[in-house]
Amino acid sequence: SVFSTTYKPTWPSLNSRPLPEWYDKAKIGIFLHWGVFSVPSYGHSGAASEWFWHNWKRTNPDKGTVEFMQKNFRPNFQYTDFAPMFRAEFYDPYEWAEIFQNSGAKYLILTSKHHEGWTNYPTKPSWNWNSVTNGPKRDLLGELANAIRNKTDIRFGAYHSLFEWYNPLYLQDQSNNFSTYNYITQVLIPEIYDLVVNYKPEILWSDGDWLATDAYWHSKEILAWLYNKSPVKDTVVANDRWGKGDRNKNGGFFTGGDRYNPGTIQKHKFENAMTLDRYNWGFSRPSNLNDYLSIEELLTVLAQTISCNGNLAINIGPTGDGRIVPIFQERLSQLGQWLKVNGDGIYETRPWHVPKDSSNKNVWYTSKNDTVYAIVLKWPGSTLTLSEPAVQENHTTVGLLGYKGNFTFKSQSNNSGVVVTVPPLTVAQLPCKWAWVFTFTNLKNM
């Protein structure tokens, strides 16, 4: 079993660990990008808000970010001056927990540290650049972990960046072509140890991997400790961002690039980490209504992802004063309403033999036991014609989640596919407002 094996710090050994079952069953998570970058909260297409420090100070800086600073801040203002302005004065972790519980998500990932190096929990390597000694003067991560565990059935996870743009120890190792490990031994390993031992995250979502190999990051050693000795060794799930060349190859679930949505069934479990704000992971004040995904767009990505063996991690950016703005609350609330009706077609499902219908591009499939679920993104009208389900006249039943009663159907003339007769339902009879899930039991081709 997963629990009695001792994993070696080699990829063949680490990759042999089965993914704890809860993760695939959960299907939906919430991702939170929150940090000092949430204070300027300035981003636009091509310059995401959570990369603000880098967008401003890199060799070829982003013009919009530079202008924003010149217009609004004194000439010698430093990025570190934003930290005391990160006050999180409206932050109520129990209110957040309720929002997340009502969304139908089953796990949560909070940035414990993004590339700016600021930690949302106390840790010695970042002694003056964390949320307890600076800014809000609160253990932001610890408070949220407690609220989630006390008030919800959601599993708590943490994102952690391997590198930091401007950490002098990291820059020194980098200038030595990663042949020295001062940053690893003095910062990275102690920080991850503190994070895992003190807060017991059941997801360790690594990032910031692309500049060096996993040999420099000591990723295999970190994962062997995580899987063998850590307090979460039996339930923890990790991703694949552990070093240059590791994505979609090594680690736990695969993440490819951001917003990874392959559209075909993947043998290996993956996660589509995507954003409700099209351009930003952190909160961005310039974003307008059309910069956010609509509920229809969100449910489309959900259907595409789950039907291909993925999980969906939906990212929102809290504000520097500790709020989840109403547009994010509304999307999560709409998602929760939809899942109350249609969750059977999402949670604990498996991909069917095809992810989508070959003749109706608005239909994606999932399956569970003897039922195939057809997630129909546009209301079909009086008939729903599908190419994939092979019906059996006296055995198959066709229904609609949230609607009592079955529908009549007939095989398409060439005996491949089905035509379902949809009765004229009133708006009040429709089980939900967007994306309807038709059910097929006892098909020939389960």
Side-chain angles (χ1 to χ4, degrees):
S1 87
V2 56
F3 315 130
S4 56
T5 312
T6 300
Y7 296 97
K8 297 191 197 72
T10 64
W11 286 126
S13 178
L14 296 167
N15 292 345
S16 74
R17 177 181 184 261
L19 213 56
E21 270 177 17
W22 72 262
Y23 178 79
D24 176 54
K25 290 177 174 175
K27 302 301 182 196
I28 300 172
I30 289 179
F31 216 140
L32 299 172
H33 274 65
W34 199 26
V36 175
F37 52 79
S38 309
V39 177
S41 51
Y42 174 88
H44 57 87
S45 172
S49 61
E50 72 287 351
W51 277 61
F52 185 91
W53 194 359
H54 190 68
N55 294 339
W56 177 29
K57 293 296 184 185
R58 68 187 188 217
T59 316
N60 180 18
D62 171 65
K63 232 177 21 218
T65 307
V66 171
E67 277 169 22
F68 168 79
M69 289 307 297
Q70 283 168 349
K71 267 190 209 154
N72 298 295
F73 295 90
R74 58 182 160 76
N76 58 346
F77 190 96
Q78 301 298 312
Y79 186 75
T80 47
D81 295 328
F82 282 124
M85 300 163 68
F86 180 23
R87 292 184 42 227
E89 61 267 38
F90 293 116
Y91 174 46
D92 178 350
Y94 282 89
E95 189 180 285
W96 288 22
E98 193 177 333
I99 292 167
F100 303 148
Q101 178 77 346
N102 291 337
S103 75
K106 299 297 183 192
Y107 62 90
L108 177 73
I109 306 152
L110 170 67
T111 48
S112 66
K113 178 185 86 168
H114 201 258
H115 314 323
E116 63 185 9
W118 169 275
T119 63
N120 283 324
Y121 64 103
T123 179
K124 278 209 188 85
S126 192
W127 58 276
N128 63 345
W129 189 235
N130 72 66
S131 67
V132 176
T133 57
N134 201 337
K137 306 278 169 79
R138 291 168 70 176
D139 181 352
L140 301 179
L141 184 133
E143 287 186 37
L144 188 56
N146 287 338
I148 289 293
R149 287 168 176 149
N150 289 337
K151 284 287 179 208
T152 74
D153 59 3
I154 294 172
R155 292 182 189 248
F156 183 80
Y159 163 110
H160 188 274
S161 174
L162 294 171
F163 90 124
E164 297 176 22
W165 290 310
Y166 304 118
N167 186 307
L169 289 171
Y170 170 72
L171 294 173
Q172 185 193 350
D173 285 350
Q174 188 181 33
S175 69
N176 295 331
N177 286 325
F178 300 114
S179 62
T180 54
Y181 303 97
N182 294 319
Y183 170 77
I184 303 302
T185 55
Q186 292 174 53
V187 179
L188 184 67
I189 288 173
E191 272 183 0
I192 288 182
Y193 183 85
D194 283 351
L195 175 65
V196 173
V197 169
N198 296 332
Y199 303 98
K200 304 176 178 58
E202 291 185 275
I203 297 174
L204 185 57
W205 214 101
S206 180
D207 191 25
D209 53 319
W210 56 86
L211 290 169
T213 65
D214 52 49
Y216 169 70
W217 300 121
H218 284 51
S219 304
K220 290 173 287 202
E221 291 73 15
I222 290 167
L223 286 172
W225 170 78
L226 188 70
Y227 293 168
N228 293 327
K229 297 208 168 103
S230 81
V232 284
K233 64 184 170 59
D234 295 343
T235 56
V236 73
V237 177
N239 66 346
D240 59 348
R241 299 188 178 188
W242 293 103
K244 200 190 284 189
D246 285 335
R247 293 190 191 191
N248 281 7
K249 188 175 154 199
N250 292 317
F253 59 87
F254 290 170
T255 65
D258 296 346
R259 306 179 182 86
Y260 178 58
N261 188 5
T264 55
I265 293 174
Q266 302 296 300
K267 278 199 177 70
H268 191 99
K269 186 72 197 174
F270 74 94
E271 182 180 82
N272 177 359
M274 47 69 76
T275 56
L276 287 183
D277 174 329
R278 296 175 204 279
Y279 308 113
N280 303 283
W281 295 78
F283 181 65
S284 180
R285 288 178 292 163
S287 294
N288 290 315
L289 183 60
N290 56 4
D291 294 321
Y292 296 96
L293 297 191
S294 67
I295 183 61
E296 292 87 351
E297 289 174 301
L298 175 60
L299 292 173
T300 299
V301 177
L302 174 67
Q304 292 167 340
T305 302
I306 306 302
S307 63
C308 291
N309 197 25
N311 276 15
L312 192 68
I314 303 162
N315 179 80
I316 62 175
T319 61
D321 58 17
R323 290 171 300 128
I324 291 167
V325 291
I327 188 82
F328 289 141
Q329 292 193 32
E330 182 184 50
R331 278 306 158 274
L332 295 182
S333 166
Q334 290 169 325
L335 175 65
Q337 291 164 37
W338 187 85
L339 285 163
K340 273 198 177 80
V341 176
N342 300 295
D344 268 359
I346 300 292
Y347 303 121
E348 303 195 15
T349 57
R350 296 294 305 143
W352 195 34
H353 65 88
V354 289
K356 60 181 178 206
D357 199 74
S358 53
S359 61
N360 185 336
K361 67 177 194 308
N362 292 314
V363 177
W364 294 78
Y365 294 106
T366 61
S367 69
K368 192 194 297 177
N369 304 327
D370 64 348
T371 304
V372 171
Y373 301 92
I375 304 167
V376 180
L377 300 172
K378 292 212 168 109
W379 182 252
S382 58
T383 55
L384 173 65
T385 305
L386 300 173
S387 293
E388 309 307 330
V391 292
Q392 310 184 72
E393 297 297 342
N394 301 320
H395 295 291
T396 300
T397 54
V398 181
L400 176 65
L401 289 181
Y403 178 79
K404 287 189 172 66
N406 294 326
F407 298 155
T408 56
F409 60 88
K410 58 180 196 291
S411 286
Q412 288 201 59
S413 48
N414 54 4
N415 204 23
S416 74
V418 63
V419 181
V420 178
T421 304
V422 182
L425 303 179
T426 65
V427 170
Q429 288 172 302
L430 282 175
C432 57
K433 297 185 219 169
W434 333 271
W436 297 268
V437 181
F438 286 77
T439 59
F440 295 84
T441 52
N442 301 317
L443 290 171
K444 280 183 206 159
N445 56 341
M446 286 310 299

